[in-house]
Amino acid sequence: MKKTKLMSVLALTAMISATTVPVSAAPETATAGTEVTYTANSAAPDQADWLVSYPKEAVLSDYNTTADTGVSLNFKLLDKLGSQDYSGDRSVTISVKNYGTGLDMDGTSGTVVMGIADDQRSELTNPNFTVGTMVKKGSGTENASTGYAYLKSTTNPEGTYTKNVTFTFTDDAV
């Protein structure tokens, strides 16, 4: 009998996702499970009229040692319906959660710290660690912003290192 495992992550504002998963089993019965998470007092109406296109992955190399040679992290502000250039009135700020003085990357041995720079190629600073702000597109690229990922420091690195970076997108209505 084969079992299908399903990992499900729910909750980004008041969004709930339902997924149907086929189950293979003996002809008489089959069972499967989905983990559902609820956080008390978490409901918030989704009043945003925007969405953000953001990079799914970025690959750093030994060349990417400064913000000037860093890997581009391209963001674009779009209309929620239709995914066209944003036409609303809100501004959306991009920030990096838990940045501190850099992000320790996970790897096999040695240490690697990733830096992230803002759209002016300056390292992110406290208090908000802001990458950039995007608004309705006028005649230029106001609805886009670019951050830069780079190797801030390395000490005896061996193998491959990774880090999941959490970006926060906040509009001026908050």
Side-chain angles (χ1 to χ4, degrees):
M1 172 190 266
K2 293 183 181 179
K3 292 183 181 180
T4 301
K5 292 184 180 182
L6 172 67
M7 291 180 54
S8 195
V9 178
L10 300 177
L12 186 53
T13 21
M15 189 165 56
I16 297 175
S17 175
T19 305
T20 304
V21 177
V23 178
S24 298
E28 287 132 18
T29 48
T31 60
T34 298
E35 182 177 336
V36 177
T37 304
Y38 162 69
T39 303
N41 302 314
S42 62
D46 182 5
Q47 297 178 1
D49 62 347
W50 53 268
L51 59 86
V52 175
S53 170
Y54 62 93
K56 181 179 177 183
E57 68 179 9
V59 178
L60 298 176
S61 73
D62 292 332
Y63 171 75
N64 309 116
T65 57
T66 67
D68 288 334
T69 60
V71 173
S72 298
L73 304 171
N74 299 313
F75 302 89
K76 189 170 183 182
L77 185 61
L78 304 168
D79 278 329
K80 187 176 192 176
L81 301 174
S83 298
Q84 303 302 314
D85 289 338
Y86 183 62
S87 61
D89 296 326
R90 295 186 180 168
S91 62
V92 177
T93 300
I94 308 159
S95 59
V96 176
K97 187 174 182 178
N98 299 323
Y99 183 76
T101 59
L103 299 168
D104 292 332
M105 298 184 77
D106 301 320
T108 53
S109 68
T111 59
V112 174
V113 177
M114 175 178 42
I116 297 182
D118 63 17
D119 52 7
Q120 301 300 308
R121 295 189 187 262
S122 297
E123 184 175 13
L124 303 185
T125 58
N126 228 349
N128 300 322
F129 305 113
T130 300
V131 174
T133 300
M134 302 175 293
V135 296
K136 174 181 177 178
K137 184 173 182 176
S139 60
T141 58
E142 302 86 352
N143 70 321
S145 187
T146 302
Y148 300 90
Y150 62 97
L151 298 172
K152 188 172 177 182
S153 67
T154 60
T155 305
N156 303 319
E158 292 292 331
T160 301
Y161 292 78
T162 60
K163 180 66 178 179
N164 185 17
V165 180
T166 301
F167 294 100
T168 302
F169 307 101
T170 307
D171 70 29
D172 56 0
V174 175

